[in-house]
Amino acid sequence: MVKLRLKRCGRKAVYRIIAIDVRSRREGKDLRRVGFYDPMKNQTYLNVPVILYFLERGAQPTGTVQNLLKKAEVFKEFPSNQMKFN
């Protein structure tokens, strides 16, 4: 199963949003980088077509990533009958 989760990069609290296999550790090899999040500057970059691609194929976002996607209104582009997240 694939998850959309945060991967820390650098000394400061800056994160990449990645698609990764569930069995991999947090800092492990990612399948694809799908976004970027900087909580200090409150900046978010999302590659929406790639995120929708993974969501359509059953990827589950973690809680924090799900909140970021909701804030960016990504789920409005996602069919409502497929929104079954934990």
Side-chain angles (χ1 to χ4, degrees), residues 41-64:
K41 296 179 183 175
N42 201 16
Q43 292 179 336
T44 306
Y45 166 76
L46 300 172
N47 189 346
V48 177
V50 176
I51 291 171
L52 291 175
Y53 170 83
F54 279 108
L55 289 174
E56 288 170 355
R57 279 150 186 79
Q60 296 291 313
T62 59
T64 306

